[in-house]
Amino acid sequence: MTTTPACPVARGPRGLPVLGVAAEYFRDPAGYTLRLQEDHGGMVDVTLPKPFVQVTEPEAVDRVLRGNPDNCTRGELYKGFIGYMGRGLLTLDDPQWRPHRKVVQPAFSRTRITADAEEAVAATRVVLERWATRAGQVFDMAADVMAISTRTMGQALIGRDLSVPGLGYDRAAAIASKVMYTRTVFGVNELLPGFLNTRYQRERRWSHRVIDGVVHAAITSRRRSGVERGDALDHLLASDLDEQAIRDDLRTLLLAGTDTTGQALAWTLYELARHPAVRREVEDEVDRVLGDAAPTPATRDELVVTRSAVDEALRLHPPVWQFPRDLIEDDVLAGRSVPGGSTVLLSTYGTHRSAEHWTDPEAFDPSRFRDGSTRHRQAYFPFGGGRRMCIGRDLALATLVTAVAMTTRRFRLTLSSRPVRVGTYITMFPSDGIHVTARERR
Ligand code: HEM
């Protein structure tokens, strides 16, 4: 048998000495990702000035996540997360990671998610009641729907409503995403002396205080009350993990779960507002399947059009738009040789918009998730893959389908003329919000 020898990764633009392509990249990271893919293909090296290999080739993604995960570590870039998330579920490597996953996994069982989705129903109702008082007004719906995620995840994970006014959790989580991203990819704010950088440092300290305060209060009051809810907090408190590890996992779960799900919800409603024909299909489905009732596990399963709209929004706007690994030994990914020690950045955003793997990739067309079309299994990976697959996937999807169905049943959103811009930190978010008017359907 003959094998084709592996060739090296395509060489991307070198940019300037020391800075590499940083100036161009940071003007529009998402756009730059697509341009690199278009010009150099699914595996290209980039100097930012940290060198990494941008991967948007499904075969290579598959090799990293499923084929040879033992050859990967979370790597250098994930170290930028440790300030907020500590050494927990997201940042640890195997074998230290495994016991953490085992401890919290039962908090994501189907039974638990059924109960947690009731929180999503309650959280969505609060937001919809607020919208009912805003007839004719333009408002930022992305900020509002973030509260649906925050409240649902807070209740699901630690039994607390984190959307309460005055707590500032959403803002603290958004700052955390910015700080982690800055540390991860560039580190420039960390290198500047504090006096040049006071606003950033002040925000960073404040957000740490809010998030640590939430976790500390949750642990203390649960221990004092002795009430068991079967949530992640209970499982962690009952485990052998030490106090620091418990806090790290709670901060990780909260930060990994709230922002991501809130952004996904905002992007789905945005796409439905832009595509009236799809929105009408979702309306017809929710009217038929739900009537006036709240979604249940059984009816959620029937909401296939709604679910496909969520899937398609996650394709076009994957909240975790890229994530890294470092290779330990040399490996061959999709026919390209990658030296040990390299950082690979798996780009969900680039892969999901690759013309090689998707027909009409820029179009919002949820039917592609229902028509049985085949594609490479890693052409779509908004929740990652392999053993490090997102632990909150089913909870996020139940929350999203619930909130999208309830919102679409009651309101038609019309986008205002304010442009929607894409911001990219750890998550991909509408940086100036999404301004709409909401009209009741009946
Ligand atoms: C739409 C919402 C979400 C998206 C798009 C998303 C995306 C992802 C992705 C891509 C990964 C893999 C990262 C990697 O392999 O390096 C991941 C991991 C993770 N996610 Fe999510 N996530 C979402 C919601 C949630 C929720 C609701 C929670 C918790 C309540 C959560 C908790 C985690 C944790 C703890 C990990 C690390 C798992 C491990 O390594 O064992 N995520 N997520």
Side-chain angles (χ1 to χ4, degrees):
M1 193 175 87
T2 55
T3 48
T4 322
C7 45
V9 168
R11 196 177 141 97
R14 298 288 98 179
L16 298 169
V18 185
L19 286 177
V21 295
E24 240 184 299
Y25 180 89
F26 284 108
R27 255 198 304 276
D28 173 17
Y32 195 79
T33 298
L34 295 187
R35 283 201 299 284
L36 274 182
Q37 171 175 243
E38 219 169 279
D39 295 347
H40 303 279
M43 290 190 55
V44 48
D45 70 9
V46 187
T47 311
L48 209 51
K50 287 179 185 168
F52 64 86
V53 178
Q54 173 176 298
V55 176
T56 58
E57 168 53 53
E59 200 53 47
V61 174
D62 199 53
R63 173 81 182 161
V64 172
L65 295 181
R66 300 159 57 101
N68 196 11
D70 289 339
N71 190 38
C72 300
T73 64
R74 310 304 272 175
E76 276 304 307
L77 296 190
Y78 259 122
K79 288 194 180 141
F81 286 42
I82 290 175
Y84 275 95
M85 297 189 172
R87 292 172 208 284
L89 260 173
L90 194 67
T91 53
L92 284 173
D93 279 304
D94 218 7
Q96 290 81 7
W97 155 80
R98 205 168 284 262
H100 290 247
R101 179 98 185 195
K102 214 168 148 201
V103 165
V104 289
Q105 192 71 58
F108 296 90
S109 67
R110 198 171 155 84
T111 325
R112 273 296 319 170
I113 289 172
T114 300
D116 296 337
E118 283 174 25
E119 292 296 343
V121 171
T124 308
R125 277 203 186 114
V126 172
V127 169
L128 299 189
E129 285 311 315
R130 198 179 311 149
W131 289 3
T133 65
R134 290 192 182 149
Q137 292 173 24
V138 174
F139 61 92
D140 176 11
M141 68 88 165
D144 277 356
V145 301
M146 184 54 77
I148 297 179
S149 168
T150 306
R151 175 170 165 166
T152 306
M153 297 308 156
Q155 292 287 12
L157 298 166
I158 58 173
R160 290 172 95 84
D161 177 3
L162 302 181
S163 70
V164 286
L167 179 61
Y169 175 84
D170 284 348
R171 186 159 166 260
I175 292 169
S177 173
K178 175 166 93 176
V179 173
M180 287 190 285
Y181 182 70
T182 316
R183 283 188 175 180
T184 299
V185 292
F186 212 38
V188 74
N189 276 309
E190 306 306 315
L191 302 176
L192 286 175
F195 69 89
L196 284 180
N197 210 5
T198 45
R199 179 149 172 247
Y200 173 87
Q201 298 299 354
R202 218 180 24 246
E203 282 186 329
R204 185 175 64 78
R205 281 196 300 272
W206 174 81
S207 69
H208 270 291
R209 264 202 312 278
V210 172
I211 294 158
D212 290 348
V214 161
V215 166
H216 177 76
I219 293 176
T220 314
S221 78
R222 184 66 59 86
R223 283 211 170 108
R224 205 174 291 146
S225 76
V227 174
E228 283 195 15
R229 301 179 77 250
D231 57 12
L233 176 54
D234 272 348
H235 288 286
L236 283 162
L237 291 179
S239 73
D240 294 338
L241 297 175
D242 65 29
E243 195 69 18
Q244 186 60 48
I246 293 172
R247 277 201 293 268
D248 289 351
D249 277 343
L250 287 172
R251 284 184 290 159
T252 300
L253 286 165
L254 288 171
L255 287 172
T258 46
D259 204 26
T260 45
T261 310
Q263 309 303 2
L265 181 52
W267 288 123
T268 309
L269 295 176
Y270 165 72
E271 289 295 353
L272 289 175
R274 292 176 71 205
H275 296 90
V278 180
R279 186 194 60 211
R280 268 191 299 277
E281 276 187 274
V282 175
E283 286 171 359
D284 289 349
E285 181 181 77
V286 294
D287 289 351
R288 179 174 48 77
V289 173
L290 296 182
D292 291 329
T296 63
T299 51
R300 249 192 320 271
D301 286 349
E302 281 183 59
L303 294 172
V304 288
V305 177
T306 312
R307 168 65 192 269
S308 68
V310 169
D311 290 338
E312 177 70 340
L314 285 168
R315 182 184 71 81
L316 283 174
H317 312 278
V320 180
W321 64 289
Q322 55 182 12
F323 55 89
R325 295 288 188 270
D326 281 4
L327 297 197
I328 300 169
E329 309 271 348
D330 299 355
D331 200 357
V332 175
L333 313 179
R336 302 278 182 170
S337 54
V338 183
S342 304
T343 297
V344 291
L345 207 47
L346 310 181
S347 170
T348 50
Y349 184 73
T351 313
H352 291 183
R353 289 183 184 231
S354 158
E356 228 178 288
H357 299 283
W358 298 90
T359 311
D360 202 1
E362 297 296 321
F364 178 72
D365 175 12
S367 73
R368 67 174 95 234
F369 284 94
R370 309 192 302 271
D371 64 8
S373 30
T374 52
R375 64 186 81 89
H376 192 289
R377 66 179 164 194
Q378 293 299 158
Y380 183 69
F381 61 114
F383 295 99
R387 64 188 180 213
R388 302 300 294 255
M389 163 78 94
C390 176
I391 200 168
R393 174 184 176 275
D394 292 349
L395 173 59
L397 288 171
T399 303
L400 290 167
V401 171
T402 300
V404 170
M406 289 177 66
T407 305
T408 311
R409 174 173 59 186
R410 182 149 174 201
F411 286 102
R412 278 197 177 155
L413 303 182
T414 305
L415 295 170
S416 82
S417 53
R418 285 176 67 157
V420 173
R421 295 184 218 282
V422 176
T424 41
Y425 291 143
I426 298 300
T427 55
M428 174 169 274
F429 60 101
S431 55
D432 301 327
I434 301 178
H435 290 80
V436 297
T437 50
R439 186 167 59 79
E440 300 238 21
R441 279 181 62 221
R442 341 174 194 164

